[in-house]
Amino acid sequence: MELKFILESLLFSAQKPLSLKDIRDALSGAPEHAEGNETVAAFKKAKDEELNAALEDLSRDHEGAARSYRLTCVAGAWQFVTQPDYAPWLKALVGVRARPPRLSQPALETLAIIAYRQPLTRAEVEQIRGVAVDGTMQTLTERGLAETVGRAETVGRPQLYGTTALFLEYFGLRSLADMPAADELRRIVVERPTAPVTADPGLATVAPDVLQEIVIQPEAKPADHPLAQAAELEVNPGK
Amino acid sequence: MELKFILESLLFSAQKPLSLKDIRDALSGAPEHAEGNETVAAFKKAKDEELNAALEDLSRDHEGAARSYRLTCVAGAWQFVTQPDYAPWLKALVGVRARPPRLSQPALETLAIIAYRQPLTRAEVEQIRGVAVDGTMQTLTERGLAETVGRAETVGRPQLYGTTALFLEYFGLRSLADMPAADELRRIVVERPTAPVTADPGLATVAPDVLQEIVIQPEAKPADHPLAQAAELEVNPGK
Amino acid sequence: MSQYNVKFEVFEGPLDLLLYLIKKEEVDIYEVNLTVLASQFIDYVDTMRLLDLEIAGEFLVMAATLMLIKSRELLPVEQRPEQIEEEDGEDPRWELIRQLVQYKKFKDAAAQLQLLEAARENTFPRQPGRVEFEPETAPPRISASIFDLLNAVNAVLKRIGQREASTREIFEDKWSVSEKIEELLNKLAREPRLKFSDLFQQATSRPEVICTFLALLELIRLKQLVCQQGEVFGEIEIKPAPAPIHGGEPHDRAWLNAPAESAPTPTS
């Protein structure tokens, strides 16, 4: 049993590119599935240099074999890929993904509101946009840009929406804090009340009714303020 | 560009086993993704014989390369799989797959009888095994490995049983013809009986003449062997 | 008692027990001494009976057959009913052997299937992740889409402002887009590259942000500026667009309120 063939079988069956760590984990986990098998135990603690050497060796093997696929290493992760020449057939096989239509203006606006104010309810989005957003909300969740992240602690416990990791990816953002001009935009909004509202700026969770309330009761105390409550929700801290 | 490499790239990228139809569809759909490419267009209408020959060729290639994976054909669909030796690592990588419990000895025996002698009645199975098989027959049909395939044209029109496509899949068989022949048995038959053996020809178990043939021609080639013939019956090819 | 029970249960039926006995004798099925085999089998059944174990009917039938064979074998050769074959069309000895051979054949086949079953369990199919092809016209993944988003934000804010204007202060139009365009171009004349985030640093109000932003969009539309993002998560940079081959449209220049010769020159 050669190390490179073990690695080959792993890379062959993996659904995603494998990092050295993934490979190490598989090697160290294997003896559990083959009790008393000394060969399996022997590879338990293969060193990174050995792994790298075996992977390079394997890569050369497949390069030399000049088949329709080869082993590649991208950003430290190894994967079997097919040669580009065969793309027309693979496209026909998997059916090329239809280009998702670009986001419409209503969808963009809705998404922007969710992004800067999350988490918030649909009713709150509607209040800001001034129109019903059922359709656009559905579009956004279907496209994986927004998702439900919990329920509000208010009457009827409506669902709260937030943006997804795909949202960040789609717009090329590192984090929500990285959103362009977010601070200015947030500041503009929260500057409205005469009494300063303090809230975690990172959350940008200004509820629409907050705006109204600010207008009607400009003297509301920060602690009683819905914004402060909303900021404490932290329903989806992992995101 | 060789056909077999195109097929290889398809099989390599496919997420499920590919039937000839799947392959044909990919070949005929490819020109759409490579306009004006004559090579791609050339393979548009590859004939089944060409495809089969290329697949066999490919399968031999990989068998010969003796790597950690090989190309298999199970129940008429082609797929790359890893060699069983690498199971411990793959289990560690992808997790142990949920498989139905292994078949019991009686179930395996009954299934073997059905597989080689299909279609046959339960009474015929019982005659071969020498015991009642109600319970095991039920287990096998419940697990989708055996099924009723019609009725015998004899008194009482008892139900006839045969194996299913799942049977082939479960054991990784390409077709019924691919079932392992009980070679060991042929070697046991060394003595020529002193008296001719006859049996009630009405018994669909057909063994008497089988026995004779074995006895008289102990060197019978596998292909001529009644067992092999039985395996080629393909009574239920549609399944 | 349960010990014996377990032992007898090992046999799937009388044929299985017979094969076991034959195997124990280490002889071929065809060479087995049927008389000895019959005695052993009957002994087993007797033991089962003695132990008060439930004996399946099949065992009793087989015992009877074996008794018949045994009794016949015990007769002197000249007294054996050789003609029984022609009468019944069947010799119980050969019938038994035929059955045993046949049963053994399937038992072996079952063992083969068991091997296949185990091998199958350890065979993993290649299940690659879905091959994804970038659509021919990929949806913008870099700068442009982020502007879309920002544009949307501003549109929303603007609307709120209009909605609330009636109940609150009068919207003071201090900035205009054209002013901001000018400002932007001036900035770019000083610095060949601007950071996107810096554009809004000085903005003091929402209208100013909007105007700056609209100015930026307008300049992009007019191909005066380009926005670039070095890497996926990188800072967006704004810089003058490369000069068109035949110079800019006079109309554009005029609109920008800047002499043609002082128009931004490409820097790379």
Side-chain angles (χ1 to χ4, degrees):
Chain A
M1 191 77 71
E2 252 187 274
L3 178 60
K4 76 170 174 182
F5 286 118
I6 298 170
L7 303 189
E8 185 184 63
S9 72
L10 287 171
L11 292 163
F12 190 80
S13 304
Q15 293 201 312
K16 57 174 188 66
L18 295 183
S19 66
L20 270 195
K21 185 185 176 305
D22 296 329
I23 293 169
R24 275 199 311 267
D25 288 350
L27 288 172
S28 66
E32 215 177 284
H33 302 282
E35 256 177 56
N37 184 327
E38 285 180 24
T39 316
V40 177
F43 291 108
K44 195 173 167 176
K45 296 197 173 180
K47 290 194 186 68
D48 278 4
E49 308 91 81
E50 295 174 70
L51 295 182
N52 276 323
L55 286 165
E56 297 293 350
D57 191 11
L58 198 56
S59 177
R60 273 192 302 274
D61 275 12
H62 286 281
E63 207 64 53
R67 303 204 68 88
S68 62
Y69 50 86
R70 68 186 196 282
L71 188 59
T72 60
C73 178
V74 173
W78 294 77
Q79 187 177 29
F80 274 111
V81 297
T82 42
Q83 306 282 18
D85 290 349
Y86 301 93
W89 292 280
L90 301 183
K91 284 178 183 171
L93 179 72
V94 301
V96 174
R97 207 166 35 140
R99 183 164 69 97
R102 296 193 61 164
L103 289 174
S104 63
Q105 189 59 29
L108 273 170
E109 287 185 17
T110 306
L111 190 57
I113 293 164
I114 297 172
Y116 283 101
R117 301 282 180 91
Q118 62 187 304
L120 83 173
T121 67
R122 203 181 63 195
E124 288 164 344
V125 177
E126 287 178 350
Q127 213 165 353
I128 297 176
R129 285 204 54 224
V131 288
V133 294
D134 305 56
T136 39
M137 283 301 259
Q138 204 187 333
T139 307
L140 293 173
T141 50
E142 273 171 8
R143 291 191 52 176
L145 295 169
E147 64 185 352
T148 58
V149 295
R151 286 185 182 277
E153 296 294 338
T154 57
V155 179
R157 291 180 49 73
Q159 287 198 303
L160 289 166
Y161 290 84
T163 53
T164 63
L166 184 67
F167 163 80
L168 296 177
E169 203 183 304
Y170 190 93
F171 289 99
L173 297 164
R174 197 197 312 255
S175 71
L176 289 177
D178 204 29
M179 286 200 295
D183 288 342
E184 282 88 348
L185 290 165
R186 284 195 207 106
R187 200 177 64 219
I188 286 164
V189 174
V190 296
E191 268 173 1
R192 293 188 149 270
T194 44
V197 173
T198 53
D200 182 352
L203 278 171
T205 51
V206 188
D209 46 330
V210 171
L211 279 174
Q212 262 185 327
E213 204 170 341
I214 291 163
V215 174
I216 297 161
Q217 310 174 329
E219 67 288 339
K221 267 178 263 169
D224 302 321
H225 200 278
L227 184 63
Q229 285 164 20
E232 277 164 26
L233 269 179
E234 292 244 53
V235 277
N236 196 13
K239 289 278 162 161
Chain B
M1 191 80 70
E2 251 186 275
L3 178 60
K4 77 170 174 184
F5 287 118
I6 297 170
L7 303 188
E8 186 184 62
S9 71
L10 286 171
L11 291 162
F12 199 78
S13 307
Q15 294 187 307
K16 60 176 187 65
L18 296 184
S19 66
L20 270 196
K21 187 188 173 304
D22 296 330
I23 293 170
R24 272 199 313 267
D25 288 350
L27 289 172
S28 67
E32 214 177 287
H33 300 281
E35 257 175 59
N37 184 326
E38 285 181 23
T39 317
V40 176
F43 292 108
K44 195 173 169 179
K45 295 198 169 178
K47 290 194 185 68
D48 277 5
E49 308 92 79
E50 295 174 71
L51 294 182
N52 275 322
L55 287 164
E56 296 294 350
D57 191 11
L58 197 56
S59 176
R60 273 192 303 273
D61 274 12
H62 285 282
E63 207 66 51
R67 303 204 70 90
S68 61
Y69 52 87
R70 68 185 196 281
L71 184 59
T72 60
C73 177
V74 171
W78 295 79
Q79 188 173 36
F80 274 111
V81 299
T82 52
Q83 305 284 16
D85 289 350
Y86 301 92
W89 292 281
L90 298 176
K91 283 175 185 168
L93 178 74
V94 301
V96 180
R97 290 168 303 166
R99 279 268 294 184
R102 288 193 185 178
L103 292 167
S104 68
Q105 194 59 34
L108 281 167
E109 286 179 16
T110 305
L111 198 52
I113 293 166
I114 297 172
Y116 283 100
R117 293 290 171 92
Q118 60 187 308
L120 84 173
T121 66
R122 203 180 66 195
E124 288 164 344
V125 177
E126 288 180 345
Q127 206 167 5
I128 296 173
R129 287 203 56 220
V131 290
V133 294
D134 307 52
T136 37
M137 281 301 256
Q138 205 188 329
T139 307
L140 293 174
T141 49
E142 274 173 10
R143 285 187 60 169
L145 296 168
E147 63 183 354
T148 57
V149 294
R151 289 186 179 275
E153 295 293 337
T154 57
V155 180
R157 294 181 48 75
Q159 285 197 303
L160 289 167
Y161 290 85
T163 52
T164 61
L166 185 66
F167 164 81
L168 296 176
E169 226 164 87
Y170 186 82
F171 292 102
L173 294 165
R174 183 171 181 163
S175 68
L176 288 176
D178 196 35
M179 286 199 296
D183 286 342
E184 193 202 339
L185 195 68
R186 235 173 278 141
R187 257 182 291 116
I188 286 174
V189 184
V190 285
E191 287 290 295
R192 191 191 173 105
T194 49
V197 177
T198 53
D200 184 354
L203 296 174
T205 46
V206 205
D209 44 335
V210 171
L211 185 62
Q212 251 183 330
E213 200 170 344
I214 295 165
V215 170
I216 295 161
Q217 312 172 329
E219 66 290 333
K221 270 175 263 167
D224 302 321
H225 199 274
L227 193 58
Q229 285 165 18
E232 280 167 18
L233 270 179
E234 295 245 40
V235 278
N236 199 11
K239 292 278 166 163
Chain C
M1 206 53 88
S2 57
Q3 241 178 317
Y4 285 100
N5 210 345
V6 168
K7 195 173 174 184
F8 284 117
E9 271 175 4
V10 169
F11 301 107
E12 306 294 346
L15 292 174
D16 199 26
L17 172 52
L18 283 173
L19 282 185
Y20 168 75
L21 295 172
I22 292 167
K23 200 179 162 197
K24 222 173 62 170
E25 290 294 310
E26 292 182 335
V27 290
D28 189 275
I29 293 177
Y30 284 90
E31 292 169 341
V32 75
N33 183 325
L34 285 178
T35 317
V36 174
L37 189 67
S39 307
Q40 286 176 343
F41 186 91
I42 292 159
D43 281 352
Y44 258 86
V45 174
D46 283 343
T47 312
M48 287 164 87
R49 198 176 277 144
L50 210 68
L51 294 169
D52 226 12
L53 293 173
E54 201 183 310
I55 302 164
E58 294 102 1
F59 283 88
L60 299 178
V61 172
M62 181 59 75
T65 307
L66 288 166
M67 292 273 241
L68 176 67
I69 291 169
K70 190 179 166 186
S71 62
R72 198 185 301 169
E73 296 293 315
L74 290 173
L75 288 173
V77 175
E78 60 274 14
Q79 288 182 35
R80 286 182 199 170
E82 290 291 345
Q83 70 284 13
I84 195 165
E85 249 175 60
E86 288 106 62
E87 285 166 14
D88 298 17
E90 201 175 298
D91 180 335
R93 295 170 304 169
W94 289 120
E95 171 56 21
L96 179 63
I97 287 173
R98 184 191 71 77
Q99 245 190 311
L100 279 172
V101 167
Q102 181 175 259
Y103 177 64
K104 173 115 176 48
K105 177 190 290 185
F106 289 111
K107 209 172 156 61
D108 291 345
Q112 291 288 316
L113 286 182
Q114 196 162 32
L115 289 179
L116 290 178
E117 184 186 36
R120 189 78 173 141
E121 230 168 63
N122 286 325
T123 301
F124 288 71
R126 173 163 162 84
Q127 281 184 315
R130 200 178 154 79
V131 186
E132 298 237 332
F133 293 95
E134 279 299 311
E136 260 99 89
T137 43
R141 279 191 164 269
I142 39 172
S143 51
S145 57
I146 218 162
F147 291 123
D148 288 343
L149 184 72
L150 194 54
N151 201 14
V153 173
N154 283 310
V156 172
L157 291 173
K158 200 171 176 183
R159 214 177 303 148
I160 293 171
Q162 283 163 353
R163 270 213 314 263
E164 290 168 352
S166 53
T167 59
R168 299 185 77 253
E169 60 196 286
I170 301 301
F171 190 81
E172 192 186 352
D173 201 355
K174 244 166 98 180
W175 293 275
S176 71
V177 174
S178 48
E179 276 174 338
K180 282 289 169 190
I181 286 176
E182 212 173 324
E183 200 181 308
L184 255 175
L185 287 176
N186 286 338
K187 263 189 191 169
L188 274 171
R190 291 194 299 271
E191 296 174 61
R193 284 157 192 263
L194 286 174
K195 282 183 179 174
F196 178 79
S197 53
D198 290 345
L199 284 187
F200 302 95
Q201 213 100 69
Q202 307 303 318
T204 53
S205 73
R206 184 183 58 227
E208 191 179 354
V209 170
I210 294 167
C211 286
T212 307
F213 188 72
L214 290 179
L216 184 64
L217 290 182
E218 193 58 29
L219 286 171
I220 291 168
R221 193 182 69 79
L222 293 172
K223 298 189 169 51
Q224 294 296 309
L225 299 181
V226 289
C227 287
Q228 287 188 337
Q229 203 172 22
E231 54 195 69
V232 174
F233 295 119
E235 172 84 33
I236 297 167
E237 280 186 340
I238 296 151
K239 60 179 191 178
I245 297 165
H246 302 295
E249 293 284 324
H251 166 81
D252 285 356
R253 308 284 183 198
W255 197 84
L256 293 169
N257 194 25
E261 48 277 19
S262 73
T265 46
T267 54
S268 48

